[in-house]
Amino acid sequence: MKRYNNIFLAALFGATLLLGGCREEEKIADDLYIPGLGGEEYAENELDKWLYQNYTLPYNIDVVYRWDAAQAYSSLSEVQLVPVEFDAVQPMMAALRDVWFEPYIQATGNSQDFLKEVAPKKIVLVGSPEYQNGSYKLGQAEGGRKILLLNVNNFDASDENELKESLHTIVHEFTHILHQTKLFDKKYQEISTGRYNSNWTLLNDSEARRLGFITNYAMLNKDEDFAEMVSGILVFGYDWFKDTVLAEAEKSTENPNAKADLEAKLAIVESYFKETWNIEFFDNETSGEKGLETYFREAIEKVVSNPPTK
């Protein structure tokens, strides 16, 4: 359930820290302190109070920003991660509150009940991305109850592209929590049967679209496909989906049904949100009710023009 972005790595990163066992004659000092092993006690500060008021109290979400290696290392891969900078936490979490939570609140009748039911109970922040095999990871959902958010130190809500990229990751991971809570239609996976591929990094997004996928990462499996469809359309908008994704799929010679496959997937996504969560994914022309996609677009425009800090 990880989401990656492809990047070109001009050089491998520097020296690797080698950890060896102590020789028999060496002793570890009794007063040696190793941070991040848990058990530390901290005095509550203003940031802690703000996070409590904005995340813990309304949604029962614990936001972990102090370095905790056990929380940050979600896998056994050998990676070097950087702790989050103190001053980066509140601006990012304030922006995410407004572009992630607020659209769902508006789409569910200005109620916090939906988020209280399905929101992750823990959000762990890490300062840097996690580089792996020519790509980098920006987030990960674990067990439907925790989201790991990386690259926090580089977040800038006033940069629309950067905001959308971070939000894309977050909505993708949140979608995993939704479909783990209540499954989507099994017919979804039948649309691209035989086309899912663990070597998705060998194709770019345009090539993936000509095969019937919204992004190359969507090719990994049905769950990533579904999460990419939801997050891509909510964050980048239906016009982008129509003018870019469907337009590229329509030119396909590899899969003549690529455009129809994407439209069929979107129909299941739209039905899933309406029938499972009673959320309009797009504007309802009959009732005049705004859809989740519109609320996301409006929230993004608002935050980019006036990034919140509290």
Side-chain angles (χ1 to χ4, degrees), residues 153-173:
N153 293 346
N154 298 314
F155 181 79
D156 180 3
S158 66
D159 184 324
E160 182 175 351
N161 290 331
E162 186 175 314
L163 175 64
K164 286 183 175 180
E165 195 57 57
S166 296
L167 185 59
H168 185 194
T169 297
I170 293 161
V171 176
H172 175 105
E173 300 303 335

PDB file of all heavy atoms in Angstrom, residues 153-173:
ATOM      1  N   ASN A 153       9.533  18.052   5.688  1.00  0.00           N
ATOM      2  CA  ASN A 153      10.397  19.228   5.759  1.00  0.00           C
ATOM      3  C   ASN A 153      10.390  20.042   4.470  1.00  0.00           C
ATOM      4  O   ASN A 153      10.765  21.220   4.474  1.00  0.00           O
ATOM      5  CB  ASN A 153      11.835  18.820   6.093  1.00  0.00           C
ATOM      6  CG  ASN A 153      11.968  18.260   7.501  1.00  0.00           C
ATOM      7  OD1 ASN A 153      11.064  18.398   8.324  1.00  0.00           O
ATOM      8  ND2 ASN A 153      13.080  17.611   7.775  1.00  0.00           N
ATOM      9  N   ASN A 154       9.976  19.437   3.367  1.00  0.00           N
ATOM     10  CA  ASN A 154       9.971  20.134   2.080  1.00  0.00           C
ATOM     11  C   ASN A 154       8.589  20.600   1.664  1.00  0.00           C
ATOM     12  O   ASN A 154       8.407  21.078   0.542  1.00  0.00           O
ATOM     13  CB  ASN A 154      10.554  19.208   0.996  1.00  0.00           C
ATOM     14  CG  ASN A 154      11.988  18.826   1.284  1.00  0.00           C
ATOM     15  OD1 ASN A 154      12.804  19.671   1.624  1.00  0.00           O
ATOM     16  ND2 ASN A 154      12.311  17.545   1.155  1.00  0.00           N
ATOM     17  N   PHE A 155       7.623  20.487   2.539  1.00  0.00           N
ATOM     18  CA  PHE A 155       6.244  20.837   2.201  1.00  0.00           C
ATOM     19  C   PHE A 155       6.054  22.345   2.108  1.00  0.00           C
ATOM     20  O   PHE A 155       6.517  23.101   2.955  1.00  0.00           O
ATOM     21  CB  PHE A 155       5.297  20.270   3.262  1.00  0.00           C
ATOM     22  CG  PHE A 155       3.843  20.556   3.010  1.00  0.00           C
ATOM     23  CD1 PHE A 155       3.132  19.804   2.095  1.00  0.00           C
ATOM     24  CD2 PHE A 155       3.202  21.580   3.685  1.00  0.00           C
ATOM     25  CE1 PHE A 155       1.788  20.070   1.867  1.00  0.00           C
ATOM     26  CE2 PHE A 155       1.869  21.848   3.466  1.00  0.00           C
ATOM     27  CZ  PHE A 155       1.154  21.092   2.550  1.00  0.00           C
ATOM     28  N   ASP A 156       5.367  22.789   1.059  1.00  0.00           N
ATOM     29  CA  ASP A 156       5.062  24.206   0.863  1.00  0.00           C
ATOM     30  C   ASP A 156       3.653  24.315   0.296  1.00  0.00           C
ATOM     31  O   ASP A 156       3.409  24.023  -0.880  1.00  0.00           O
ATOM     32  CB  ASP A 156       6.067  24.845  -0.093  1.00  0.00           C
ATOM     33  CG  ASP A 156       5.800  26.326  -0.342  1.00  0.00           C
ATOM     34  OD1 ASP A 156       4.861  26.883   0.275  1.00  0.00           O
ATOM     35  OD2 ASP A 156       6.521  26.933  -1.163  1.00  0.00           O
ATOM     36  N   ALA A 157       2.696  24.711   1.127  1.00  0.00           N
ATOM     37  CA  ALA A 157       1.288  24.747   0.723  1.00  0.00           C
ATOM     38  C   ALA A 157       1.002  25.787  -0.349  1.00  0.00           C
ATOM     39  O   ALA A 157      -0.007  25.687  -1.054  1.00  0.00           O
ATOM     40  CB  ALA A 157       0.401  25.008   1.947  1.00  0.00           C
ATOM     41  N   SER A 158       1.853  26.794  -0.489  1.00  0.00           N
ATOM     42  CA  SER A 158       1.628  27.827  -1.501  1.00  0.00           C
ATOM     43  C   SER A 158       2.025  27.373  -2.895  1.00  0.00           C
ATOM     44  O   SER A 158       1.686  28.008  -3.892  1.00  0.00           O
ATOM     45  CB  SER A 158       2.401  29.100  -1.143  1.00  0.00           C
ATOM     46  OG  SER A 158       3.797  28.874  -1.202  1.00  0.00           O
ATOM     47  N   ASP A 159       2.765  26.275  -2.977  1.00  0.00           N
ATOM     48  CA  ASP A 159       3.160  25.697  -4.258  1.00  0.00           C
ATOM     49  C   ASP A 159       2.097  24.678  -4.656  1.00  0.00           C
ATOM     50  O   ASP A 159       2.016  23.590  -4.085  1.00  0.00           O
ATOM     51  CB  ASP A 159       4.533  25.030  -4.124  1.00  0.00           C
ATOM     52  CG  ASP A 159       5.068  24.488  -5.438  1.00  0.00           C
ATOM     53  OD1 ASP A 159       4.269  24.001  -6.257  1.00  0.00           O
ATOM     54  OD2 ASP A 159       6.300  24.548  -5.636  1.00  0.00           O
ATOM     55  N   GLU A 160       1.274  25.026  -5.641  1.00  0.00           N
ATOM     56  CA  GLU A 160       0.138  24.181  -5.990  1.00  0.00           C
ATOM     57  C   GLU A 160       0.558  22.776  -6.397  1.00  0.00           C
ATOM     58  O   GLU A 160      -0.063  21.789  -5.984  1.00  0.00           O
ATOM     59  CB  GLU A 160      -0.673  24.812  -7.128  1.00  0.00           C
ATOM     60  CG  GLU A 160      -1.908  24.007  -7.510  1.00  0.00           C
ATOM     61  CD  GLU A 160      -2.763  24.703  -8.544  1.00  0.00           C
ATOM     62  OE1 GLU A 160      -2.501  25.888  -8.838  1.00  0.00           O
ATOM     63  OE2 GLU A 160      -3.700  24.065  -9.065  1.00  0.00           O
ATOM     64  N   ASN A 161       1.602  22.656  -7.198  1.00  0.00           N
ATOM     65  CA  ASN A 161       2.045  21.338  -7.635  1.00  0.00           C
ATOM     66  C   ASN A 161       2.520  20.497  -6.456  1.00  0.00           C
ATOM     67  O   ASN A 161       2.222  19.307  -6.363  1.00  0.00           O
ATOM     68  CB  ASN A 161       3.163  21.469  -8.673  1.00  0.00           C
ATOM     69  CG  ASN A 161       2.661  22.025  -9.991  1.00  0.00           C
ATOM     70  OD1 ASN A 161       1.504  21.836 -10.356  1.00  0.00           O
ATOM     71  ND2 ASN A 161       3.529  22.712 -10.716  1.00  0.00           N
ATOM     72  N   GLU A 162       3.254  21.127  -5.546  1.00  0.00           N
ATOM     73  CA  GLU A 162       3.763  20.407  -4.383  1.00  0.00           C
ATOM     74  C   GLU A 162       2.629  20.006  -3.450  1.00  0.00           C
ATOM     75  O   GLU A 162       2.604  18.891  -2.913  1.00  0.00           O
ATOM     76  CB  GLU A 162       4.777  21.271  -3.638  1.00  0.00           C
ATOM     77  CG  GLU A 162       5.471  20.542  -2.496  1.00  0.00           C
ATOM     78  CD  GLU A 162       6.565  21.380  -1.856  1.00  0.00           C
ATOM     79  OE1 GLU A 162       7.358  21.975  -2.607  1.00  0.00           O
ATOM     80  OE2 GLU A 162       6.610  21.432  -0.621  1.00  0.00           O
ATOM     81  N   LEU A 163       1.680  20.916  -3.262  1.00  0.00           N
ATOM     82  CA  LEU A 163       0.529  20.606  -2.419  1.00  0.00           C
ATOM     83  C   LEU A 163      -0.245  19.423  -2.994  1.00  0.00           C
ATOM     84  O   LEU A 163      -0.624  18.498  -2.276  1.00  0.00           O
ATOM     85  CB  LEU A 163      -0.379  21.825  -2.295  1.00  0.00           C
ATOM     86  CG  LEU A 163      -1.689  21.607  -1.527  1.00  0.00           C
ATOM     87  CD1 LEU A 163      -1.412  21.248  -0.071  1.00  0.00           C
ATOM     88  CD2 LEU A 163      -2.585  22.840  -1.624  1.00  0.00           C
ATOM     89  N   LYS A 164      -0.473  19.450  -4.300  1.00  0.00           N
ATOM     90  CA  LYS A 164      -1.223  18.370  -4.934  1.00  0.00           C
ATOM     91  C   LYS A 164      -0.472  17.045  -4.851  1.00  0.00           C
ATOM     92  O   LYS A 164      -1.088  15.991  -4.670  1.00  0.00           O
ATOM     93  CB  LYS A 164      -1.528  18.723  -6.389  1.00  0.00           C
ATOM     94  CG  LYS A 164      -2.622  19.774  -6.555  1.00  0.00           C
ATOM     95  CD  LYS A 164      -2.923  20.030  -8.018  1.00  0.00           C
ATOM     96  CE  LYS A 164      -4.090  20.992  -8.179  1.00  0.00           C
ATOM     97  NZ  LYS A 164      -4.392  21.255  -9.619  1.00  0.00           N
ATOM     98  N   GLU A 165       0.837  17.099  -4.987  1.00  0.00           N
ATOM     99  CA  GLU A 165       1.606  15.865  -4.910  1.00  0.00           C
ATOM    100  C   GLU A 165       1.508  15.245  -3.517  1.00  0.00           C
ATOM    101  O   GLU A 165       1.318  14.032  -3.364  1.00  0.00           O
ATOM    102  CB  GLU A 165       3.066  16.131  -5.270  1.00  0.00           C
ATOM    103  CG  GLU A 165       3.862  14.881  -5.574  1.00  0.00           C
ATOM    104  CD  GLU A 165       3.253  14.070  -6.707  1.00  0.00           C
ATOM    105  OE1 GLU A 165       3.064  14.598  -7.814  1.00  0.00           O
ATOM    106  OE2 GLU A 165       2.940  12.896  -6.452  1.00  0.00           O
ATOM    107  N   SER A 166       1.640  16.081  -2.491  1.00  0.00           N
ATOM    108  CA  SER A 166       1.503  15.573  -1.123  1.00  0.00           C
ATOM    109  C   SER A 166       0.085  15.074  -0.863  1.00  0.00           C
ATOM    110  O   SER A 166      -0.114  14.007  -0.268  1.00  0.00           O
ATOM    111  CB  SER A 166       1.860  16.675  -0.115  1.00  0.00           C
ATOM    112  OG  SER A 166       3.208  17.057  -0.233  1.00  0.00           O
ATOM    113  N   LEU A 167      -0.902  15.830  -1.314  1.00  0.00           N
ATOM    114  CA  LEU A 167      -2.293  15.449  -1.100  1.00  0.00           C
ATOM    115  C   LEU A 167      -2.626  14.172  -1.859  1.00  0.00           C
ATOM    116  O   LEU A 167      -3.393  13.329  -1.365  1.00  0.00           O
ATOM    117  CB  LEU A 167      -3.214  16.589  -1.532  1.00  0.00           C
ATOM    118  CG  LEU A 167      -4.707  16.404  -1.261  1.00  0.00           C
ATOM    119  CD1 LEU A 167      -4.971  16.212   0.226  1.00  0.00           C
ATOM    120  CD2 LEU A 167      -5.491  17.613  -1.789  1.00  0.00           C
ATOM    121  N   HIS A 168      -2.065  14.033  -3.037  1.00  0.00           N
ATOM    122  CA  HIS A 168      -2.270  12.808  -3.826  1.00  0.00           C
ATOM    123  C   HIS A 168      -1.851  11.582  -3.018  1.00  0.00           C
ATOM    124  O   HIS A 168      -2.570  10.568  -2.954  1.00  0.00           O
ATOM    125  CB  HIS A 168      -1.452  12.915  -5.117  1.00  0.00           C
ATOM    126  CG  HIS A 168      -1.660  11.781  -6.081  1.00  0.00           C
ATOM    127  ND1 HIS A 168      -0.835  11.551  -7.147  1.00  0.00           N
ATOM    128  CD2 HIS A 168      -2.597  10.796  -6.134  1.00  0.00           C
ATOM    129  CE1 HIS A 168      -1.247  10.497  -7.817  1.00  0.00           C
ATOM    130  NE2 HIS A 168      -2.322  10.019  -7.214  1.00  0.00           N
ATOM    131  N   THR A 169      -0.695  11.680  -2.388  1.00  0.00           N
ATOM    132  CA  THR A 169      -0.207  10.583  -1.556  1.00  0.00           C
ATOM    133  C   THR A 169      -1.153  10.309  -0.393  1.00  0.00           C
ATOM    134  O   THR A 169      -1.509   9.160  -0.099  1.00  0.00           O
ATOM    135  CB  THR A 169       1.189  10.913  -1.013  1.00  0.00           C
ATOM    136  OG1 THR A 169       2.098  11.050  -2.107  1.00  0.00           O
ATOM    137  CG2 THR A 169       1.691   9.831  -0.067  1.00  0.00           C
ATOM    138  N   ILE A 170      -1.570  11.374   0.286  1.00  0.00           N
ATOM    139  CA  ILE A 170      -2.407  11.230   1.472  1.00  0.00           C
ATOM    140  C   ILE A 170      -3.772  10.646   1.116  1.00  0.00           C
ATOM    141  O   ILE A 170      -4.271   9.730   1.781  1.00  0.00           O
ATOM    142  CB  ILE A 170      -2.568  12.594   2.168  1.00  0.00           C
ATOM    143  CG1 ILE A 170      -1.216  13.034   2.726  1.00  0.00           C
ATOM    144  CG2 ILE A 170      -3.615  12.533   3.278  1.00  0.00           C
ATOM    145  CD1 ILE A 170      -1.137  14.508   3.018  1.00  0.00           C
ATOM    146  N   VAL A 171      -4.408  11.172   0.065  1.00  0.00           N
ATOM    147  CA  VAL A 171      -5.730  10.669  -0.326  1.00  0.00           C
ATOM    148  C   VAL A 171      -5.623   9.226  -0.813  1.00  0.00           C
ATOM    149  O   VAL A 171      -6.516   8.406  -0.560  1.00  0.00           O
ATOM    150  CB  VAL A 171      -6.354  11.573  -1.409  1.00  0.00           C
ATOM    151  CG1 VAL A 171      -7.692  11.005  -1.889  1.00  0.00           C
ATOM    152  CG2 VAL A 171      -6.561  12.979  -0.866  1.00  0.00           C
ATOM    153  N   HIS A 172      -4.530   8.911  -1.478  1.00  0.00           N
ATOM    154  CA  HIS A 172      -4.292   7.525  -1.900  1.00  0.00           C
ATOM    155  C   HIS A 172      -4.269   6.597  -0.682  1.00  0.00           C
ATOM    156  O   HIS A 172      -4.965   5.568  -0.655  1.00  0.00           O
ATOM    157  CB  HIS A 172      -2.959   7.454  -2.654  1.00  0.00           C
ATOM    158  CG  HIS A 172      -2.554   6.062  -3.043  1.00  0.00           C
ATOM    159  ND1 HIS A 172      -2.632   5.582  -4.329  1.00  0.00           N
ATOM    160  CD2 HIS A 172      -2.049   5.025  -2.299  1.00  0.00           C
ATOM    161  CE1 HIS A 172      -2.202   4.333  -4.366  1.00  0.00           C
ATOM    162  NE2 HIS A 172      -1.844   3.975  -3.137  1.00  0.00           N
ATOM    163  N   GLU A 173      -3.467   6.965   0.321  1.00  0.00           N
ATOM    164  CA  GLU A 173      -3.367   6.116   1.515  1.00  0.00           C
ATOM    165  C   GLU A 173      -4.684   6.071   2.282  1.00  0.00           C
ATOM    166  O   GLU A 173      -5.071   5.025   2.818  1.00  0.00           O
ATOM    167  CB  GLU A 173      -2.230   6.611   2.412  1.00  0.00           C
ATOM    168  CG  GLU A 173      -0.853   6.614   1.760  1.00  0.00           C
ATOM    169  CD  GLU A 173      -0.427   5.253   1.230  1.00  0.00           C
ATOM    170  OE1 GLU A 173      -0.927   4.232   1.742  1.00  0.00           O
ATOM    171  OE2 GLU A 173       0.400   5.201   0.308  1.00  0.00           O
TER     172      GLU A 173
END
